[in-house]
Amino acid sequence: MTQLRFALAQIDTCVGDLDGNADRIMQYAHLAAHGGARVVVFPEMTLTGYPIEDLALRRTFRQAAWDKANWLATELEADGLGDLYVAVGTVGTDHALDKPRNRMVVLHDGTVSAAYDKHFLPNYGVFDEFRIFAAGERSTVLEVDGVRIGVAICEDIWQDGGPVAALAEQGIDVLMTMNGSPYEEGKTHTRYDLAVRRAAEVHAPVIYVNQVGGQDDLVFDGGSFVVDADGTLLERSPMFVEHLGFFDLDTSAQHQTPGDIEPALDPDEEVYTACVLGLKDYMAKNHFTGVCLGLSGGIDSALVAAMAADACGGANVHGISMPSMYSSDGSKDDAADLAANIGAHYDIQPIEPLFNAFQGQLALEGVAAENLQARIRGVIVMAYSNSKGLLAVATGNKSELACGYSTIYGDAVGGYAPIKDLLKTRVWELSRWRNRAAQAGIGVGGLRIVGNESRGAGKPLPNGVMIPVNSIEKAPSAELRPGQKDSDSLPEYELLDKVLAAYIEHAHGRADLLADGFDAKTVDTVMRLVDRAEWKRRQYPLGPKVTALAFGRDRRLPVTNAFRE
Amino acid sequence: MTQLRFALAQIDTCVGDLDGNADRIMQYAHLAAHGGARVVVFPEMTLTGYPIEDLALRRTFRQAAWDKANWLATELEADGLGDLYVAVGTVGTDHALDKPRNRMVVLHDGTVSAAYDKHFLPNYGVFDEFRIFAAGERSTVLEVDGVRIGVAICEDIWQDGGPVAALAEQGIDVLMTMNGSPYEEGKTHTRYDLAVRRAAEVHAPVIYVNQVGGQDDLVFDGGSFVVDADGTLLERSPMFVEHLGFFDLDTSAQHQTPGDIEPALDPDEEVYTACVLGLKDYMAKNHFTGVCLGLSGGIDSALVAAMAADACGGANVHGISMPSMYSSDGSKDDAADLAANIGAHYDIQPIEPLFNAFQGQLALEGVAAENLQARIRGVIVMAYSNSKGLLAVATGNKSELACGYSTIYGDAVGGYAPIKDLLKTRVWELSRWRNRAAQAGIGVGGLRIVGNESRGAGKPLPNGVMIPVNSIEKAPSAELRPGQKDSDSLPEYELLDKVLAAYIEHAHGRADLLADGFDAKTVDTVMRLVDRAEWKRRQYPLGPKVTALAFGRDRRLPVTNAFRE
């Protein structure tokens, strides 16, 4: 009988931050050894951060990553951890092709060894790996104390054939996978079903270690787990926090013994926490400690402010009320209440005098005059950002961004938009969930996410309410002209969001949408709005490429990139 | 002896505009037949436009393209052109994989036939084809009057092996290629050298037909050509204009007879014209007839205004002078002179009263106060855009964008940025070239580009000067504080641009740059500026993806997309 203890190191890395990531690996390797592990496995591209996009094409970066892996191996041994098998992800180089590889290496006995290169390189959705990496061609089995550990990296288990099929033929005792799998509603089940299928294929348990943390426009949710050969869930780590899990493999047992299984999150809590973690990590990785945003009294800015308070604490949130001649008293009160609830800074900057100054020169009418109000507010928000060093957060939701119902350089300004992938109806649902959580005692900053206190009360909320009920229940309005309602320009959100979900998220065409039961007028309205809003969603000017390497399409670097030569 | 006349139809298409593109094909097929051609070949993905990015993934679009190809075949026959072989590019479907194909079809005798699918799918730089298309696996030879015509699509001739190697073995009389090859300085020679190599490989002449026109951030320059098996240039079409060229193949001749060979353009004229065509087509394809921009009296806005006048006529250019308390009289005069030279509308909108109104509330200092001035100007430019239906054009150059020396939501606002890929020293060179052209009698709109008059005087320029000499010769300044010069914040442009070219366009790392002879202080300054400016160049807020399909990374559609279901 052989028993082998694995540690699942679910950590948060930063793209390009070789020093910081190496320190994190060191810290978790110590914890793993202290917990009695023989093998510790980290997420995909641990050392470099993930996804590194075109940064991988920089030869100097690959050299620096290689040097850092060797430094780590040496340091681990010097710290008395030479016996431990430390599986980390990094970038390698195919010297024949002069192309990078998405690589797993094992640090052991002071050396870097046992490289495995990712075989299936995803090239769809948010992934561009085939663009960047050369594909690995060999499967790899690591032997530790006589136990045969097959290895795979993320997409390798999402496609049939390839290294997993080869490992199934060779025979292994366990399949150990490192992953960088971005969050998506409902994906927990998909990953679990997939792992169950692969466990059956290799007749062995599957270890699934996933990255946690925000990286630019992606959020990695962690939720690492182990399933047995028969599909039984043996271990599950929490989502959205760094975590070290353990799994004891007994090669002589028919069935493995289950360990810690974290209960699943409420679906609203899950999405809310993903948004908070995305913002929190974007701030940390770009060295911001506070945010500023416009508080209109509407539900979008209220939810974003609540998320910001949970991400960085209410005292680091600067809310700016910017009432115009069309702002209702109710809206102003709701904005003030929200700021008080979360303990935010709260300033009032009326825009009417500024609006009048512009209008004295420009005499705008109609939509141009409405946009002017939004852009004056954008200027004020950016003034706070520039003068106080705050991250400007944008408050647009997916419904309005999809339909172009926003002003570019106006309400759309900011460095991060926490709810840009939430339909309006989801904004309401998450606001209600956050208030329920407040009633249950989860105060500002009390969510369970990386770097926050583990789930606790946080800063208590007055009256047990975070988001004013009025902001949730009133009819949505941009308040850019008297009596304006969103429903003047858009279908009601209950209907609109259903069409948007079908058209965008499920890629239904016009005929499909009609077959879905939507009326032709609504379908045509929504499709026209969405198809024409592409430029607004981008905001930045396109321009002709005339040199070998322009910015934009042919030089794709992560925004959050800590690498410095 | 067999003689076969080919027509090279170098046309300008629009992504998604199946109707418009089909009409263009019809028109050129008539011209080709009238000119005695037996075969007419169009650019890559003629019918759909190129590059279509994720639009190809939409099944309804592929169906519509297929229907349109059949309509075209029928119409051609009905018009008496059934005998003509019409080779057009379109999107196909691999039904087994449910993936699109980058396809060439031949319309003949009222039917769509002889499909060839692109084999090498570029997946680097500006190209994402491997992401989208399934690769073709067969080479195709088309037989017309006993002549064996091998076919290939663009990247197929850029890589060794594949269909061209197969055709070389099979033996062909001519290699006919359709291309969507974006413009890049110096690329004319690269393409020619490549075609010569392939002609030698297949022992036959190579026909190279390239797309012309602007498509979002790409410009296609046309410049179609034919080379003989021995590398002799037999035909060359002009750059930047639609054109129908002819080539007579004589299969019994040792050497083919040369036809029309367009002389090469001056390198400055070439780049200037690429920028003008990009802007002109972006306007046309997005239904703008006029532009607005801030005119500071500086060289960047002067050059952009000149380009705009060449693209849409001076009378459709709205220049806005927005002087502040720091604007010099010289700058105001230079702006007015430029506007007069090109015959533009010219308004003066002083920003001091607006600046003071904001400062009464915000009391900003330092860079925040400087950004405020730029953002007030951004608001005014967008007010003109919204109220008059004009395209706002941004005037930033590559040097300042690379270094982040600009204000987001300020001078960077706009839908198109004609000089965003031109380093500052290139801005000066092109300005001088445009003035030389003016002295040579090329007035406003007199450039040779698609849809303009063929090269002629255009609207004559007063004094034979377009861009005020003072704008070219004075020291660059943002004029956001008294006595400010760009050189206070940046290395001198002569040096800066050399470092930028090496770092960005030639991807040199730090060690390379030092070996290039640049001093360490300059290298570190420039690298730090460039590495930190990524977000500014994007402008739009990132946000967490939480659904299956968010906007941005996983839904990539061209801005200019005329497809409507």
Side-chain angles (χ1 to χ4, degrees), chain B residues 121-144:
Chain B
L121 299 168
N123 203 64
Y124 56 83
V126 302
F127 304 107
D128 286 301
E129 294 196 25
F130 192 88
R131 169 187 169 92
I132 301 162
F133 299 108
E137 283 137 14
R138 299 177 302 107
S139 62
T140 297
V141 176
L142 179 69
E143 285 221 11
V144 176

Side-chain angles (χ1 to χ4, degrees), chain B residues 62-267:
Chain B
R62 298 204 298 268
Q63 182 61 48
W66 171 244
D67 293 344
K68 184 55 75 174
N70 281 282
W71 174 89
L72 250 184
T74 308
E75 285 294 300
L76 285 163
E77 191 180 37
D79 279 12
L81 301 182
D83 274 359
L84 188 65
Y85 291 82
V86 180
V88 299
T90 186
V91 65
T93 297
D94 180 305
H95 292 286
L97 299 171
D98 192 27
K99 281 197 86 170
R101 301 269 200 175
N102 181 333
R103 181 165 287 179
M104 176 193 295
V105 294
V106 177
L107 314 177
H108 182 69
D109 271 348
T111 63
V112 178
S113 64
Y116 167 75
D117 293 331
K118 188 175 184 175
H119 176 77
F120 289 118
L121 299 168
N123 203 64
Y124 56 83
V126 302
F127 304 107
D128 286 301
E129 294 196 25
F130 192 88
R131 169 187 169 92
I132 301 162
F133 299 108
E137 283 137 14
R138 299 177 302 107
S139 62
T140 297
V141 176
L142 179 69
E143 285 221 11
V144 176
D145 303 346
V147 174
R148 291 174 56 80
I149 307 170
V151 298
I153 304 177
C154 209
E155 188 80 3
D156 289 336
I157 63 166
W158 288 78
Q159 298 192 32
D160 292 327
V164 176
L167 293 171
E169 278 188 27
Q170 295 164 46
I172 53 174
D173 296 312
V174 63
L175 177 60
M176 181 176 83
T177 73
M178 47 175 50
N179 302 270
S181 178
Y183 176 67
E184 202 175 279
E185 266 189 286
K187 205 173 179 183
T188 299
H189 298 291
T190 313
R191 287 186 200 132
Y192 172 74
D193 292 346
L194 181 73
V196 167
R197 194 143 62 85
R198 296 305 170 205
E201 185 179 353
V202 298
H203 304 292
V206 171
I207 298 172
Y208 185 102
V209 175
N210 192 23
Q211 171 175 352
V212 71
Q215 178 64 46
D216 292 351
D217 49 356
L218 300 180
V219 179
F220 297 88
D221 51 308
S224 304
F225 62 91
V226 183
V227 291
D228 207 346
D230 66 0
T232 308
L233 185 63
L234 297 172
E235 201 273 347
R236 186 164 63 201
S237 303
M239 297 175 81
F240 306 119
V241 289
E242 291 195 312
H243 183 80
L244 191 72
F246 290 96
F247 165 60
D248 291 304
L249 176 72
D250 181 346
T251 56
S252 63
Q254 179 76 18
H255 301 288
Q256 305 297 319
T257 312
D260 294 336
I261 297 182
E262 180 75 15
L265 292 181
D266 170 276

